[in-house]
Amino acid sequence: MAITSLILAAVAAVGTALMSVGVMAVFAVGAGHVALNQIGRRREKGRGLAIAALAVGYSIAVLGLVSTVYFMAIFADRPM
């Protein structure tokens, strides 16, 4: 599951860079949390991969939130 979350995070990063679409970041964060839970219960390996996927996923989410607020602030003053 940690590898899946890291792959989803990579897809989200590429999607954000190429098409400004970071929707996959939501799935990467969800899979990362599931992976951490599974690793903790089963004492498996891959904690670093899951944490990396969470870091990338949350970074993309914050970038999307900041850019949305920024563009809303810029275009809020302009009449339609």
Side-chain angles (χ1 to χ4, degrees):
M1 188 56 111
I3 294 172
T4 302
S5 64
L6 189 62
I7 290 171
L8 287 171
V11 169
V14 170
T16 301
L18 296 179
M19 299 176 283
S20 299
V21 179
V23 177
M24 293 299 288
V26 175
F27 299 112
V29 168
H33 282 292
V34 169
L36 280 179
N37 187 16
Q38 183 179 5
I39 289 166
R41 282 188 291 122
R42 297 182 184 176
R43 300 186 189 267
E44 294 178 343
K45 295 181 181 180
R47 182 172 171 83
L49 293 175
I51 291 173
L54 285 172
V56 171
Y58 278 124
S59 297
I60 292 170
V62 168
L63 177 68
L65 180 65
V66 168
S67 65
T68 300
V69 170
Y70 175 74
F71 283 114
M72 286 176 62
I74 287 178
F75 293 117
D77 295 336
R78 298 181 187 216
M80 293 180 97

